[in-house]
Amino acid sequence: MRLGRRVAEAAEIALATRKYVTVVDVLTGLRWVHHRHIESWRQGRAGSLEELAAVDAARMTDAAALLAEWAGDKGLIAGETVYVSGSRDRSALRFTRDGSEEQERNFHRQWISPAMSEARRRRLTETQNRPPDLRVLVPQEPWRCAGCRDTGPYLIMEDASPHCLTCADMDHLVMLPAGNAALSRRAKKESGLSAVVVEYNPRRKRFERRGVLVEEAALARAEELCLEDEELRARRRDRDAERRAHQDVEFQARMAAEILRLFPGCPRADEIAAHAAVRGSGRVGRTSAAKVLDESAITLAVVASVRHKDTAYDELLMKGVPRMTARAQIRDRIDAVLESWRAAPV
């Protein structure tokens, strides 16, 4: 069955990356829902995930059943995760519009590798069952509070409606911009009430963290703590940066080798790998699929390089040709280049 194979491929990637797999991993891996849809759903901005998905509840249920069958064949350990919204009311999240409670429970199942240690398994369960951070949104369009009908720079969902921070009793919090992980972590820990501020990035098609709202006294205390061990954290940052740089070089080398395995005649495998795998770039080389050297993800990285370097694609865009029209015009050229690269160099 084609769907069964696609479910298995998506599950394999998630399992290789994190040692466990959920139904959400499979639904995003199948591209039935985008990560931005998951984020909106977790914020409580949709009544169910089905409302945002490209398929109906029946297909989602089929995927969950196929995942369970695959996990059983793999000998994975069954578990359960809780899905609670990041809205003020902390409502339980639904996967389907009208599904029964038994059907909903099937979506809460997760499957854990036996290779994961018992201690890590306990930490995973604790983390997943912990209520998520409250999520405050930077609105993209004009909006009105469902309570006072006023507006503001931030909104939070409550009872499936947007509310301003005043109506949500959160207007005493101060904004700590993102950028200092230690300060943000400590300020959240010291604050009795806090909320993560996110904004949708249309270019990257995802929600990105902009900062955290915390109590003013908590921020002052966190700043004191950061001053006390600033030198120690600086040394740790240097070590971490060196470690990440080594990991990136190693990962890029493995990606380049996989590119040459798929396309032996590719003349710039190292260049493609170095470009696609830049940390924090959001490019295909940083996806979970690429990190486990999934063939489709590696091919997409090569296609992207060919599109920009071996075709008139950029030129067409500059002339105002719509993106999808331009891609259609260069498709034959891309196919020809890929076909020539699949052959070993003479």
Side-chain angles (χ1 to χ4, degrees):
M1 182 187 295
R2 186 165 179 268
L3 179 57
R5 185 171 63 254
R6 293 177 62 206
V7 167
E9 289 172 354
E12 288 281 7
I13 290 171
L15 188 65
T17 305
R18 300 184 303 179
K19 303 299 183 188
Y20 70 94
V21 56
T22 67
V23 177
V24 170
D25 294 326
V26 168
L27 296 179
T28 54
L30 292 171
R31 299 186 181 179
W32 288 353
V33 289
H34 194 280
H35 289 289
R36 67 178 181 275
H37 297 143
I38 299 296
E39 184 67 23
S40 293
W41 175 61
R42 289 186 182 278
Q43 290 171 12
R45 302 180 68 206
S48 69
L49 189 58
E50 182 186 1
E51 295 172 20
L52 305 175
V55 296
D56 59 15
R59 290 287 278 169
M60 292 167 59
T61 301
D62 289 343
L66 288 167
L67 173 61
E69 182 179 327
W70 172 86
D73 293 341
K74 288 282 186 179
L76 303 185
I77 301 169
E80 187 171 328
T81 185
V82 176
Y83 291 97
V84 180
S85 78
S87 60
R88 188 62 185 271
D89 52 11
R90 301 293 198 185
S91 56
L93 294 172
R94 290 190 62 83
F95 281 78
T96 63
R97 289 187 182 93
D98 305 311
S100 65
E101 291 308 310
E102 180 180 354
Q103 185 180 13
E104 285 291 311
R105 279 197 298 273
N106 289 333
F107 290 107
H108 287 244
R109 298 168 80 181
Q110 66 176 353
W111 306 93
I112 304 170
S113 168
M116 182 183 289
S117 68
E118 184 65 33
R120 187 180 169 193
R121 209 177 302 161
R122 284 197 303 270
R123 288 196 301 271
L124 174 65
T125 301
E126 290 170 3
T127 300
Q128 292 183 328
N129 291 339
R130 188 184 304 145
D133 291 325
L134 288 174
R135 293 295 178 98
V136 166
L137 185 67
V138 178
Q140 299 287 303
E141 300 175 352
W143 71 284
R144 293 289 173 186
C145 172
C148 65
R149 306 307 300 167
D150 202 351
T151 188
Y154 309 115
L155 67 85
I156 186 169
M157 299 301 294
E158 189 171 330
D159 298 325
S161 300
H163 285 72
C164 67
L165 297 190
T166 299
C167 289
D169 294 327
M170 297 174 67
D171 56 346
H172 63 294
L173 303 179
V174 296
M175 173 66 164
L176 171 59
N180 188 326
L183 182 60
S184 297
R185 183 177 63 253
R186 286 170 168 170
K188 276 183 63 181
K189 184 177 180 180
E190 295 289 331
S191 189
L193 177 64
S194 65
V196 173
V197 179
V198 297
E199 182 177 12
Y200 183 65
N201 184 328
R203 183 174 65 85
R204 293 188 171 182
K205 297 182 180 179
R206 69 185 187 192
F207 285 91
E208 296 180 344
R209 184 171 175 146
R210 292 291 177 251
V212 60
L213 293 170
V214 295
E215 296 166 347
E216 194 166 2
L219 177 55
R221 174 58 181 155
E223 289 172 336
E224 292 176 4
L225 293 171
C226 285
L227 285 173
E228 291 174 3
D229 63 357
E230 185 174 4
E231 184 178 346
L232 175 64
R233 287 184 296 106
R235 291 199 300 269
R236 185 179 300 151
R237 281 196 300 272
D238 290 341
R239 290 197 302 272
D240 289 345
E242 185 178 344
R243 174 178 51 80
R244 286 194 299 271
H246 174 72
Q247 289 174 340
D248 284 350
V249 170
E250 185 181 85
F251 172 51
Q252 289 172 16
R254 289 191 291 114
M255 181 181 287
E258 182 64 9
I259 290 172
L260 287 175
R261 186 185 73 80
L262 297 172
F263 302 95
C266 176
R268 54 174 188 271
D270 290 337
E271 178 187 329
I272 294 172
H275 177 79
V278 172
R279 186 181 294 269
S281 65
R283 295 171 187 147
V284 66
R286 299 306 305 185
T287 62
S288 57
K291 288 176 183 176
V292 294
L293 302 180
D294 175 70
E295 185 172 318
S296 297
I298 299 300
T299 301
L300 286 176
V302 175
V303 167
S305 176
V306 173
R307 182 184 300 127
H308 292 290
K309 289 184 175 291
D310 300 285
T311 75
Y313 179 68
D314 292 348
E315 205 176 306
L316 292 171
L317 294 185
M318 288 298 292
K319 290 178 179 178
V321 177
R323 184 166 59 89
M324 297 313 294
T325 302
R327 289 196 175 195
Q329 291 181 18
I330 64 167
R331 185 171 297 127
D332 289 344
R333 170 61 180 162
I334 289 178
D335 290 343
V337 172
L338 294 182
E339 189 61 30
S340 69
W341 287 2
R342 286 191 177 95
V346 179

